[in-house]
Amino acid sequence: MASDSSKAECKQDAGVFAPVIDRTRCEAKEDCVGACPYDVFEVHKLGDEDKRALPLMARMKAWVHGNRQAFAVRADQCHACGLCVIACPEHAIKLMRVTTAA
């Protein structure tokens, strides 16, 4: 987990933005896990449904990396500091504004 001083760089309230992980790019290197000061990410094995949803080349890539990828398990805690985006060597994370139905 990143230091508490990293939290000072986060300018949004939790829940305004959420990280979206590109499953065709993630290689489970866990850089996002270490960079996030709010413990938003964990790396887990892909479920069968997640694997089936991947294109063939991405399934092969996931297999090479032990079928493990990052998941934003606490996306509602994201403060949009962007540290995960910067840390990801595969450029697999984007921050997207959360839209709420009115």
Side-chain angles (χ1 to χ4, degrees), residues 23-101:
R23 297 267 159 244
T24 65
R25 291 179 167 258
C26 181
E27 295 180 0
K29 293 184 178 162
E30 299 191 40
D31 294 27
C32 56
V33 174
C36 181
Y38 292 95
D39 282 332
V40 168
F41 300 94
E42 292 179 4
V43 172
H44 298 283
K45 276 199 170 266
L46 290 167
D48 290 338
E49 189 174 317
D50 292 322
K51 285 188 274 187
R52 278 193 298 273
L54 292 172
L56 178 60
M57 292 304 289
R59 267 185 273 156
M60 291 172 50
K61 181 178 177 179
W63 178 79
V64 167
H65 295 285
N67 284 316
R68 293 171 44 85
Q69 288 193 345
F71 289 85
V73 295
R74 288 174 284 284
D76 61 329
Q77 295 301 308
C78 178
H79 286 254
C81 58
L83 295 173
C84 59
V85 175
I86 294 166
C88 182
E90 292 87 27
H91 307 288
I93 304 172
K94 293 181 182 176
L95 296 176
M96 304 290 286
R97 184 175 286 278
V98 174
T99 57
T100 56

